Coordinates of all heavy atoms in Angstrom, one line a residue:
Chain A
I1487 N 33.1 -43.7 -7.7 CA 32.6 -44.9 -8.4 C 31.1 -45.1 -8.2 O 30.4 -45.7 -9.0 CB 33.3 -46.2 -7.9 CG1 33.4 -46.3 -6.3 CG2 34.7 -46.3 -8.4 CD1 34.0 -47.6 -5.8
D1488 N 30.5 -44.5 -7.2 CA 29.1 -44.6 -7.0 C 28.5 -43.2 -6.9 O 27.4 -43.0 -6.3 CB 28.7 -45.4 -5.7 CG 29.4 -46.8 -5.7 OD1 29.1 -47.5 -6.6 OD2 30.2 -47.0 -4.8
K1489 N 29.1 -42.2 -7.5 CA 28.7 -40.8 -7.5 C 28.5 -40.3 -6.1 O 27.6 -39.5 -5.9 CB 27.4 -40.7 -8.3 CG 27.5 -41.2 -9.7 CD 26.2 -41.0 -10.5 CE 26.3 -41.6 -11.9 NZ 25.0 -41.9 -12.4
R1491 N 27.3 -42.0 -3.6 CA 26.1 -42.6 -2.9 C 26.5 -43.8 -2.1 O 25.7 -44.4 -1.4 CB 25.0 -42.9 -3.9 CG 24.0 -41.8 -4.2 CD 24.6 -40.6 -4.9 NE 23.6 -39.7 -5.3 CZ 23.8 -38.6 -6.0 NH1 25.1 -38.2 -6.3 NH2 22.9 -37.8 -6.3
G1492 N 27.7 -44.3 -2.3 CA 28.1 -45.6 -1.7 C 29.1 -45.3 -0.5 O 29.0 -45.9 0.6
H1496 N 30.0 -48.7 1.7 CA 29.1 -49.5 0.8 C 29.4 -49.3 -0.6 O 28.5 -49.0 -1.4 CB 27.6 -49.1 1.0 CG 27.2 -48.8 2.4 ND1 26.9 -47.5 2.9 CD2 27.1 -49.6 3.5 CE1 26.6 -47.6 4.1 NE2 26.8 -48.8 4.6
S1498 N 30.4 -50.1 -4.6 CA 30.4 -51.1 -5.6 C 30.9 -50.4 -6.9 O 30.8 -49.2 -7.0 CB 29.0 -51.7 -5.8 OG 28.1 -50.6 -6.1
D1499 N 31.5 -51.2 -7.7 CA 32.1 -50.7 -9.0 C 32.0 -51.8 -10.0 O 32.8 -52.7 -10.1 CB 33.5 -50.2 -8.8 CG 34.1 -49.6 -10.1 OD1 33.4 -49.6 -11.1 OD2 35.3 -49.2 -10.0
F1500 N 30.9 -51.7 -10.8 CA 30.6 -52.8 -11.8 C 31.6 -52.8 -12.9 O 31.8 -53.8 -13.6 CB 29.2 -52.8 -12.2 CG 28.3 -53.3 -11.2 CD1 27.8 -52.5 -10.1 CD2 27.8 -54.6 -11.2 CE1 27.0 -53.0 -9.1 CE2 27.0 -55.1 -10.2 CZ 26.6 -54.3 -9.2
Y1505 N 31.0 -56.1 -6.9 CA 29.5 -56.0 -7.0 C 28.9 -55.3 -5.8 O 27.8 -54.8 -5.9 CB 28.9 -57.4 -7.2 CG 28.7 -57.9 -8.6 CD1 29.6 -57.4 -9.6 CD2 27.7 -58.7 -9.0 CE1 29.5 -57.8 -10.9 CE2 27.5 -59.1 -10.3 CZ 28.4 -58.7 -11.2 OH 28.3 -59.1 -12.5
N1506 N 29.5 -55.5 -4.7 CA 28.8 -55.1 -3.5 C 29.7 -55.1 -2.3 O 30.7 -55.8 -2.3 CB 27.7 -56.2 -3.2 CG 26.8 -55.9 -2.1 OD1 26.8 -56.7 -1.1 ND2 26.0 -54.9 -2.1
T1508 N 28.2 -55.0 1.4 CA 27.1 -54.8 2.2 C 27.5 -54.3 3.6 O 28.5 -54.9 4.1 CB 26.1 -56.0 2.3 OG1 25.0 -55.6 3.1 CG2 26.8 -57.2 2.9
T1510 N 25.9 -54.8 6.2 CA 25.4 -55.8 7.1 C 26.4 -56.9 7.3 O 26.4 -57.8 6.4 CB 24.0 -56.3 6.7 OG1 23.2 -55.2 6.2 CG2 23.3 -57.0 7.8
H1513 N 26.5 -60.8 5.7 CA 25.4 -61.1 4.8 C 25.9 -61.2 3.3 O 25.1 -61.5 2.4 CB 24.3 -60.0 4.9 CG 23.4 -60.3 6.0 ND1 22.1 -60.6 5.9 CD2 23.7 -60.3 7.4 CE1 21.6 -60.8 7.1 NE2 22.5 -60.7 8.0
G1516 N 25.6 -65.0 1.3 CA 24.5 -65.4 0.5 C 24.4 -64.7 -0.8 O 24.0 -65.3 -1.9
I1517 N 24.7 -63.4 -0.8 CA 24.7 -62.6 -2.1 C 25.7 -63.3 -3.0 O 25.4 -63.4 -4.2 CB 25.0 -61.1 -1.8 CG1 23.9 -60.6 -0.9 CG2 25.1 -60.4 -3.1 CD1 24.2 -59.1 -0.4
A1519 N 26.7 -66.3 -3.1 CA 26.1 -67.6 -3.6 C 25.2 -67.3 -4.8 O 25.2 -68.0 -5.8 CB 25.5 -68.3 -2.5
G1520 N 24.3 -66.3 -4.6 CA 23.4 -66.0 -5.7 C 24.1 -65.5 -7.0 O 23.6 -65.9 -8.1
I1521 N 25.1 -64.7 -6.9 CA 25.8 -64.3 -8.0 C 26.5 -65.5 -8.7 O 26.4 -65.7 -9.9 CB 26.9 -63.2 -7.7 CG1 26.2 -62.0 -7.1 CG2 27.8 -62.9 -8.9 CD1 27.2 -61.0 -6.5
W1523 N 25.7 -68.6 -8.5 CA 24.6 -69.5 -9.1 C 24.2 -69.0 -10.4 O 24.1 -69.8 -11.4 CB 23.5 -69.6 -8.1 CG 22.3 -70.4 -8.6 CD1 22.1 -71.8 -8.4 CD2 21.1 -70.0 -9.3 NE1 20.9 -72.2 -9.0 CE2 20.3 -71.1 -9.5 CE3 20.7 -68.7 -9.7 CZ2 19.1 -71.0 -10.2 CZ3 19.5 -68.6 -10.4 CH2 18.7 -69.7 -10.6
A1524 N 24.0 -67.7 -10.5 CA 23.5 -67.1 -11.8 C 24.6 -67.3 -12.8 O 24.3 -67.5 -14.0 CB 23.2 -65.6 -11.6
K1527 N 24.6 -70.9 -14.0 CA 23.4 -71.2 -14.9 C 23.6 -70.5 -16.3 O 23.0 -71.0 -17.2 CB 22.1 -70.7 -14.2 CG 21.8 -71.4 -12.9 CD 21.6 -72.9 -13.1 CE 21.5 -73.7 -11.8 NZ 21.7 -75.1 -11.9
A1547 N 23.5 -65.5 9.1 CA 23.3 -65.4 7.7 C 24.6 -65.8 6.9 O 24.5 -66.3 5.8 CB 23.0 -63.9 7.3
E1550 N 24.2 -69.4 6.5 CA 23.2 -69.8 5.6 C 23.8 -69.7 4.1 O 23.5 -70.5 3.3 CB 22.0 -68.9 5.7 CG 21.3 -69.1 7.1 CD 19.9 -68.4 7.1 OE1 19.3 -68.2 6.1 OE2 19.4 -68.2 8.3
L1554 N 24.2 -72.8 1.3 CA 23.8 -72.8 -0.1 C 24.9 -73.0 -1.1 O 24.8 -73.8 -2.0 CB 23.0 -71.5 -0.4 CG 21.7 -71.3 0.3 CD1 21.1 -69.9 0.0 CD2 20.7 -72.4 -0.1
W1558 N 25.1 -76.4 -3.4 CA 25.0 -76.3 -4.8 C 26.4 -76.3 -5.5 O 26.5 -75.9 -6.7 CB 24.1 -75.2 -5.2 CG 22.7 -75.3 -4.8 CD1 22.0 -76.6 -4.7 CD2 21.7 -74.3 -4.5 NE1 20.7 -76.3 -4.3 CE2 20.5 -75.0 -4.2 CE3 21.7 -73.0 -4.4 CZ2 19.3 -74.3 -3.8 CZ3 20.6 -72.3 -4.1 CH2 19.4 -72.9 -3.8
D1706 N 18.1 -38.8 -6.6 CA 18.5 -39.6 -7.8 C 18.9 -41.0 -7.4 O 19.5 -41.3 -6.4 CB 19.8 -39.0 -8.4 CG 19.5 -37.7 -9.2 OD1 18.4 -37.2 -9.2 OD2 20.5 -37.1 -9.8
H1707 N 18.5 -41.9 -8.3 CA 18.8 -43.4 -8.1 C 18.1 -44.1 -7.0 O 18.4 -45.2 -6.6 CB 20.3 -43.6 -8.0 CG 21.1 -42.8 -9.0 ND1 21.0 -43.0 -10.3 CD2 22.1 -41.9 -8.8 CE1 21.8 -42.2 -10.9 NE2 22.5 -41.5 -10.0
Y1709 N 14.9 -44.9 -6.9 CA 14.1 -45.9 -7.6 C 14.4 -45.9 -9.1 O 14.8 -44.9 -9.7 CB 12.6 -45.6 -7.4 CG 12.2 -45.6 -6.0 CD1 12.1 -44.5 -5.2 CD2 11.9 -46.8 -5.4 CE1 11.8 -44.5 -3.8 CE2 11.5 -46.9 -4.0 CZ 11.5 -45.8 -3.3 OH 11.2 -45.8 -1.9
A1710 N 14.3 -47.1 -9.7 CA 14.6 -47.2 -11.1 C 13.8 -46.3 -12.0 O 14.2 -45.9 -13.0 CB 14.5 -48.7 -11.5
D1711 N 12.5 -46.1 -11.5 CA 11.6 -45.3 -12.4 C 11.4 -43.9 -11.7 O 10.4 -43.3 -12.0 CB 10.3 -46.0 -12.6 CG 9.7 -46.5 -11.2 OD1 10.3 -46.3 -10.2 OD2 8.5 -47.0 -11.2
R1714 N 9.1 -40.3 -6.4 CA 7.8 -39.6 -6.5 C 7.7 -38.7 -5.3 O 7.6 -39.1 -4.1 CB 6.7 -40.6 -6.4 CG 6.7 -41.6 -7.5 CD 5.6 -42.6 -7.3 NE 5.8 -43.7 -8.3 CZ 4.9 -44.2 -9.1 NH1 3.7 -43.8 -9.1 NH2 5.2 -45.2 -9.9
R1716 N 6.6 -36.2 -2.4 CA 5.3 -36.0 -1.6 C 5.3 -34.6 -1.0 O 6.4 -34.1 -0.6 CB 5.4 -37.0 -0.4 CG 5.3 -38.5 -0.8 CD 3.9 -38.9 -1.1 NE 2.9 -38.6 0.0 CZ 2.7 -39.4 1.0 NH1 3.3 -40.5 1.2 NH2 1.7 -39.1 1.9
A1717 N 4.2 -34.1 -0.9 CA 4.0 -32.8 -0.2 C 4.6 -32.9 1.2 O 4.4 -33.9 1.8 CB 2.6 -32.3 -0.2
Chain B
F152 N 13.0 -66.5 -12.6 CA 12.9 -67.8 -12.0 C 12.3 -67.6 -10.6 O 12.2 -66.5 -10.0 CB 14.3 -68.5 -11.9 CG 15.2 -67.9 -10.9 CD1 15.4 -68.5 -9.6 CD2 16.0 -66.7 -11.1 CE1 16.3 -68.0 -8.7 CE2 16.8 -66.2 -10.2 CZ 17.0 -66.8 -9.0
D176 N 16.0 -75.8 -12.7 CA 16.9 -74.6 -12.8 C 16.1 -73.3 -12.6 O 16.7 -72.3 -12.3 CB 17.7 -74.6 -14.1 CG 18.9 -75.5 -14.0 OD1 19.1 -76.1 -13.0 OD2 19.6 -75.6 -15.0
E180 N 14.0 -75.2 -5.5 CA 13.7 -75.6 -4.2 C 14.8 -75.2 -3.2 O 16.0 -75.5 -3.5 CB 13.6 -77.2 -4.2 CG 13.5 -77.8 -2.8 CD 12.0 -77.9 -2.3 OE1 11.1 -78.2 -3.2 OE2 11.8 -77.6 -1.2
T184 N 15.9 -71.4 4.9 CA 17.1 -70.5 5.1 C 16.7 -69.2 4.5 O 17.3 -68.7 3.5 CB 18.3 -71.2 4.4 OG1 19.5 -70.4 4.6 CG2 18.2 -71.4 2.9
Q186 N 16.9 -65.9 5.4 CA 17.9 -64.9 5.2 C 18.9 -65.2 4.1 O 19.3 -64.4 3.3 CB 18.6 -64.6 6.5 CG 17.7 -64.1 7.6 CD 18.4 -63.5 8.8 OE1 19.5 -63.7 9.0 NE2 17.6 -62.6 9.5
G187 N 19.3 -66.5 4.1 CA 20.2 -67.0 3.1 C 19.6 -66.9 1.7 O 20.2 -66.3 0.8
N190 N 19.1 -63.1 0.5 CA 20.4 -62.6 0.0 C 20.8 -63.2 -1.3 O 21.3 -62.5 -2.2 CB 21.5 -62.8 1.1 CG 21.4 -61.8 2.3 OD1 20.9 -60.7 2.1 ND2 21.8 -62.3 3.4
F191 N 20.6 -64.5 -1.4 CA 20.9 -65.2 -2.6 C 20.1 -64.6 -3.8 O 20.7 -64.4 -4.9 CB 20.4 -66.7 -2.5 CG 20.6 -67.6 -3.7 CD1 21.8 -68.2 -3.9 CD2 19.5 -67.7 -4.6 CE1 21.9 -69.1 -5.1 CE2 19.6 -68.5 -5.7 CZ 20.8 -69.2 -5.9
G194 N 21.8 -61.5 -4.9 CA 23.0 -61.8 -5.7 C 22.6 -62.1 -7.1 O 23.2 -61.6 -8.1
A195 N 21.6 -63.0 -7.2 CA 21.2 -63.4 -8.6 C 20.7 -62.2 -9.4 O 20.9 -62.1 -10.6 CB 20.1 -64.5 -8.5
A198 N 23.3 -60.2 -10.7 CA 24.0 -60.9 -11.8 C 23.0 -61.0 -13.0 O 23.3 -61.7 -14.0 CB 24.4 -62.3 -11.4
E217 N 15.4 -56.8 7.0 CA 16.6 -56.1 6.8 C 17.1 -56.4 5.4 O 17.6 -55.5 4.7 CB 17.6 -56.5 7.9 CG 18.9 -55.7 7.9 CD 19.9 -56.0 6.8 OE1 20.0 -57.2 6.4 OE2 20.7 -55.1 6.4
Q218 N 17.1 -57.6 5.0 CA 17.7 -57.9 3.7 C 16.9 -57.3 2.5 O 17.5 -56.9 1.5 CB 17.7 -59.5 3.4 CG 18.7 -60.2 4.3 CD 18.1 -60.6 5.6 OE1 17.3 -61.6 5.7 NE2 18.5 -59.9 6.7
N221 N 17.0 -52.9 3.7 CA 18.3 -52.3 3.9 C 19.3 -52.7 2.8 O 20.3 -51.9 2.6 CB 18.8 -52.6 5.3 CG 20.0 -51.7 5.7 OD1 20.0 -50.5 5.5 ND2 21.0 -52.4 6.2
Q222 N 19.1 -53.8 2.3 CA 20.1 -54.2 1.3 C 19.5 -54.1 -0.1 O 20.0 -53.3 -0.9 CB 20.6 -55.7 1.6 CG 21.3 -55.7 3.0 CD 22.0 -57.0 3.2 OE1 22.9 -57.4 2.5 NE2 21.6 -57.7 4.2
F226 N 20.2 -50.8 -2.8 CA 21.3 -51.0 -3.6 C 21.5 -50.1 -4.8 O 22.6 -49.6 -5.1 CB 21.4 -52.5 -4.1 CG 22.7 -52.8 -4.7 CD1 23.8 -53.1 -3.9 CD2 22.9 -52.7 -6.1 CE1 25.0 -53.3 -4.4 CE2 24.2 -52.8 -6.6 CZ 25.2 -53.2 -5.8
L227 N 20.4 -49.8 -5.5 CA 20.4 -49.0 -6.7 C 21.0 -47.6 -6.3 O 21.9 -47.0 -6.9 CB 19.0 -48.8 -7.3 CG 19.0 -47.9 -8.5 CD1 19.7 -48.5 -9.7 CD2 17.5 -47.5 -8.9
L228 N 20.5 -47.1 -5.2 CA 21.0 -45.8 -4.7 C 22.5 -45.9 -4.3 O 23.3 -45.0 -4.8 CB 20.2 -45.4 -3.4 CG 20.7 -44.1 -2.7 CD1 20.4 -42.9 -3.6 CD2 20.0 -44.0 -1.4
M229 N 22.8 -46.9 -3.5 CA 24.2 -46.9 -3.0 C 25.2 -47.2 -4.1 O 26.4 -46.8 -4.0 CB 24.3 -48.1 -2.0 CG 23.6 -47.8 -0.7 SD 24.1 -48.9 0.6 CE 23.8 -50.5 -0.1
S230 N 24.7 -47.7 -5.2 CA 25.6 -48.0 -6.3 C 25.6 -46.8 -7.3 O 26.2 -46.9 -8.4 CB 25.3 -49.3 -7.1 OG 24.1 -49.1 -7.8
G231 N 25.0 -45.7 -6.9 CA 24.9 -44.5 -7.8 C 24.2 -44.8 -9.1 O 24.6 -44.3 -10.1
G232 N 23.2 -45.8 -9.0 CA 22.5 -46.1 -10.2 C 23.1 -47.1 -11.1 O 22.6 -47.4 -12.2
Q233 N 24.2 -47.8 -10.7 CA 24.8 -48.8 -11.5 C 24.0 -50.0 -11.8 O 23.9 -50.5 -12.9 CB 26.2 -49.2 -10.9 CG 27.3 -48.2 -11.0 CD 28.5 -48.7 -10.3 OE1 29.3 -49.5 -10.9 NE2 28.7 -48.4 -9.0
R234 N 23.3 -50.5 -10.7 CA 22.5 -51.7 -10.9 C 21.4 -51.8 -9.9 O 21.6 -51.4 -8.7 CB 23.4 -52.9 -10.7 CG 22.9 -54.1 -11.6 CD 24.0 -55.1 -11.9 NE 25.0 -54.7 -12.9 CZ 25.8 -55.5 -13.5 NH1 25.8 -56.8 -13.2 NH2 26.7 -55.1 -14.3
G267 N 9.6 -47.5 2.3 CA 9.7 -47.1 0.9 C 10.0 -48.2 0.0 O 10.6 -48.0 -1.1
K269 N 8.5 -50.8 -2.7 CA 7.3 -50.9 -3.5 C 6.5 -52.1 -3.0 O 7.1 -53.2 -2.9 CB 7.7 -51.1 -5.0 CG 8.3 -49.8 -5.6 CD 8.8 -50.0 -7.0 CE 9.3 -48.7 -7.6 NZ 9.9 -48.9 -9.0
D290 N 12.0 -52.9 -12.2 CA 13.5 -53.0 -11.9 C 13.8 -52.9 -10.4 O 15.0 -53.1 -10.1 CB 14.2 -52.0 -12.7 CG 14.3 -52.4 -14.2 OD1 14.3 -53.6 -14.5 OD2 14.5 -51.5 -15.1
D291 N 12.9 -52.5 -9.6 CA 13.2 -52.4 -8.2 C 12.6 -53.6 -7.4 O 11.8 -54.3 -8.0 CB 12.5 -51.1 -7.6 CG 13.2 -49.8 -8.0 OD1 14.5 -49.8 -8.1 OD2 12.5 -48.9 -8.3
Y364 N 2.6 -48.8 -1.8 CA 3.8 -48.0 -2.1 C 4.3 -48.3 -3.5 O 4.7 -49.5 -3.7 CB 4.9 -48.2 -1.1 CG 5.9 -47.0 -1.1 CD1 5.8 -45.9 -0.3 CD2 7.0 -47.1 -2.1 CE1 6.6 -44.9 -0.4 CE2 7.8 -46.0 -2.2 CZ 7.7 -44.9 -1.4 OH 8.5 -43.8 -1.4
P365 N 4.3 -47.4 -4.5 CA 3.8 -46.1 -4.4 C 2.2 -46.1 -4.2 O 1.6 -47.1 -4.6 CB 4.2 -45.5 -5.7 CG 4.4 -46.6 -6.6 CD 4.8 -47.8 -5.8
W368 N -2.1 -41.1 -4.7 CA -2.6 -40.0 -3.9 C -3.6 -39.2 -4.8 O -4.6 -38.6 -4.3 CB -1.5 -39.2 -3.3 CG -0.7 -39.9 -2.3 CD1 0.6 -40.3 -2.4 CD2 -1.2 -40.5 -1.0 NE1 1.0 -41.0 -1.3 CE2 -0.1 -41.1 -0.5 CE3 -2.4 -40.5 -0.4 CZ2 -0.1 -41.8 0.8 CZ3 -2.5 -41.1 0.9 CH2 -1.3 -41.8 1.4
E396 N -1.5 -43.3 7.7 CA -0.9 -42.5 6.6 C -2.0 -41.9 5.7 O -1.8 -40.8 5.3 CB 0.0 -43.4 5.8 CG 0.8 -42.8 4.6 CD 1.6 -41.6 5.1 OE1 2.1 -41.6 6.2 OE2 1.8 -40.7 4.3
T400 N -2.5 -37.9 5.3 CA -2.3 -37.2 4.0 C -3.6 -36.6 3.5 O -3.6 -35.4 3.0 CB -1.9 -38.3 2.9 OG1 -0.7 -38.9 3.4 CG2 -1.6 -37.6 1.6
E404 N -3.8 -32.7 2.8 CA -3.8 -32.2 1.4 C -5.2 -32.2 0.7 O -5.3 -31.7 -0.4 CB -2.9 -33.2 0.5 CG -1.5 -33.2 1.0 CD -0.6 -34.2 0.3 OE1 -1.0 -34.7 -0.8 OE2 0.4 -34.6 0.9

Side-chain angles (χ1 to χ4, degrees):
Chain A
I1487 49 176
D1488 307 301
K1489 301 180 184 161
R1491 272 65 171 183
H1496 322 111
S1498 55
D1499 181 357
F1500 285 80
Y1505 270 32
N1506 182 246
T1508 183
T1510 315
H1513 282 244
I1517 298 175
I1521 296 170
W1523 178 87
K1527 297 298 170 196
E1550 294 193 24
L1554 292 176
W1558 294 332
D1706 283 4
H1707 314 301
Y1709 296 95
D1711 52 356
R1714 299 174 194 231
R1716 294 279 307 274
Chain B
F152 72 101
D176 278 358
E180 172 85 42
T184 183
Q186 297 193 338
N190 284 332
F191 175 90
E217 190 279 333
Q218 288 89 74
N221 191 46
Q222 298 191 61
F226 192 81
L227 178 69
L228 172 70
M229 293 194 305
S230 70
Q233 287 176 84
R234 210 160 284 195
K269 292 176 175 175
D290 283 336
D291 289 320
Y364 197 93
W368 297 113
E396 179 60 27
T400 304
E404 298 173 21

